[in-house]
Amino acid sequence: MQRHPIEAADMAAIVDGFGIDWAPLAGRTVCITGAAGFLPAYMVETMLYLNETRALGIRVLALARSRPGFERRFAHHAGRSDLVFIEQDISQPFTLDEQPDYIIHAASQASPKYYSSDPVGTLSANTLGTAALLELARRSHSRGFLYFSSSEVYGQPSRVPTAEGDYGVVDPTNVRACYAESKRMGENMCVSWHHQHGVPVKIVRPFHTYGPRMQLDDGRVYADFVAAILRGENIALKSDGLATRAFCYSADAVAGFWRVLLEGAPGAAYNIGNPDGEISMRALGQLLVGLYPEKGLTLSYVERAAGDNYMPSAVARGCPDIARAAALGWQPRTSLADGFRRTIESYL
């Protein structure tokens, strides 16, 4: 098995198209949690591609909760000596015999459907897991630690486009806050370990990100839209569709994550998103339908089914200010039409 051609092109774009200096990773051991997940898996793929094309000799310690899930995601890399799977729920106590040079903590239940069904599991990875990994970084004298936070830390943002200091209200007594509040706590843990122990932490706050291999059944609106297109079904909108979000193609976002890890300021947080990709859910549905006129699909409005666990956000508009990441030399470059077409065709 080989990478899908679209994924292979994405790897080439990440490695060669953003001017990132990969030399610091040469011969290093990188521990990454949530390794089979949508975005961290693309970071694993980046490292394996670097080994293939630049002979960097990176050793990847890939932590994931499910061996079958990991083996399905990386079936095309079976037998590689540079990819080591470690079965681990990051919210549970663990030991790691090796001392990683870099740690990327990306294990998290990011879908809103889990905020209602498993809030304890959602917050545990972002707090208990973060503390354990920061201690591992401290003991290992790691060269870099990247924490995956979220745009949800802004709550109801005080300004849109939202810069890294534009925090709004999050109600801690609302169960949906299990994600945002635990991401906030994880960030504070990072800066506290940096302040007290000198751990070289960097924080990324991804805004809405999409691309090949995203889970199409995780309950998020844009995933539902892509799944409908693939099934040849009309897109069903379960709201008035007026809320806007800024969507960033995964390869662009992953290049941003690497840029922050390798060149960002210790203790700082960086928005990673595409302000040019801001669009309403209604307009996004219309865009996707319009990409494939031969299918004859339409956009319709339906009520959510009884018992649906999805917990919608109260935020009407989400869009990042990316000036801080841009100052490092990173800019997203994929348009919505190109990105969603690539995403849909990656499943074919």
Side-chain angles (χ1 to χ4, degrees):
M1 294 179 63
Q2 296 180 333
R3 294 183 183 92
H4 189 285
I6 287 176
E7 293 184 25
D10 284 348
M11 290 304 109
I14 293 167
V15 168
D16 300 320
F18 287 86
I20 298 170
D21 178 8
W22 301 104
L25 295 178
R28 303 301 180 184
T29 296
V30 180
C31 173
I32 180 166
T33 69
F38 167 45
L39 292 174
Y42 247 38
M43 299 195 78
V44 172
E45 290 281 5
T46 304
M47 290 184 278
L48 300 181
Y49 185 85
L50 284 165
N51 286 349
E52 296 161 15
T53 61
R54 300 199 180 188
L56 288 194
I58 305 166
R59 179 173 169 80
V60 183
L61 306 180
L63 275 64
R65 288 190 298 181
S66 166
R67 178 177 290 275
F70 178 87
E71 291 178 346
R72 284 193 301 272
R73 176 59 181 85
F74 295 106
H76 54 299
H77 293 310
R80 292 185 64 141
S81 61
D82 53 355
L83 178 60
V84 179
F85 170 69
I86 300 171
E87 189 169 11
Q88 179 64 49
D89 181 341
I90 202 62
S91 65
Q92 300 299 317
F94 73 97
T95 57
L96 194 66
D97 294 334
E98 300 190 49
Q99 294 188 333
D101 298 294
Y102 292 92
I103 296 174
I104 301 167
H105 181 24
S108 183
Q109 294 185 156
S111 170
K113 73 178 183 180
Y114 295 116
Y115 306 164
S116 173
S117 63
D118 187 21
V120 174
T122 298
L123 64 87
S124 294
N126 299 331
T127 52
L128 302 177
T130 302
L133 289 162
L134 286 166
E135 272 299 291
L136 174 62
R138 182 185 65 81
R139 295 193 307 269
S140 303
H141 304 287
S142 296
R143 294 167 175 263
F145 185 104
L146 185 68
Y147 175 66
F148 271 58
S149 186
S150 167
S151 61
E152 293 247 357
V153 300
Y154 295 113
Q156 297 272 6
S158 59
R159 185 172 68 94
V160 181
T162 305
E164 285 80 0
D166 295 329
Y167 301 103
V169 173
V170 175
D171 178 3
T173 66
N174 183 331
V175 71
R176 195 187 191 285
C178 63
Y179 184 70
E181 289 284 32
S182 59
K183 285 296 189 186
R184 283 183 168 188
M185 188 68 246
E187 288 195 15
N188 188 261
M189 287 178 172
C190 286
V191 298
S192 295
W193 258 261
H194 171 60
H195 173 81
Q196 187 167 341
H197 299 300
V199 176
V201 301
K202 321 287 176 65
I203 298 165
V204 287
R205 295 175 181 160
F207 279 64
H208 283 67
T209 308
Y210 67 97
R213 293 187 186 256
M214 68 180 185
Q215 288 189 344
L216 299 182
D217 61 351
D218 75 353
R220 284 184 272 201
V221 174
Y222 54 99
D224 290 344
F225 287 1
V226 169
I229 295 291
L230 289 166
R231 293 192 300 264
E233 298 176 357
N234 293 332
I235 287 180
L237 191 60
K238 300 175 182 178
S239 69
D240 62 14
L242 299 181
T244 73
R245 296 292 184 267
F247 290 94
C248 186
Y249 185 60
S250 54
D252 292 349
V254 168
F257 303 152
W258 283 116
R259 177 75 79 175
V260 170
L261 173 61
L262 297 174
E263 300 181 34
Y270 295 82
N271 288 339
I272 300 294
N274 186 354
D276 292 335
E278 184 180 6
I279 191 171
S280 73
M281 298 304 98
R282 181 182 298 183
L284 179 61
Q286 293 167 339
L287 171 67
L288 297 190
V289 166
L291 288 178
Y292 299 93
E294 69 277 9
K295 294 179 179 286
L297 304 179
T298 62
L299 180 66
S300 61
Y301 302 86
V302 300
E303 296 290 332
R304 285 195 176 273
D308 189 332
N309 285 329
Y310 183 84
M311 301 188 75
S313 170
V315 177
R317 184 186 176 202
C319 183
D321 178 329
I322 60 169
R324 185 176 291 181
L328 297 179
W330 175 80
Q331 286 279 355
R333 58 190 213 175
T334 307
S335 70
L336 280 176
D338 287 347
F340 273 101
R341 186 183 294 277
R342 292 177 66 80
T343 299
I344 290 166
E345 294 181 0
S346 73
Y347 291 93
L348 302 177

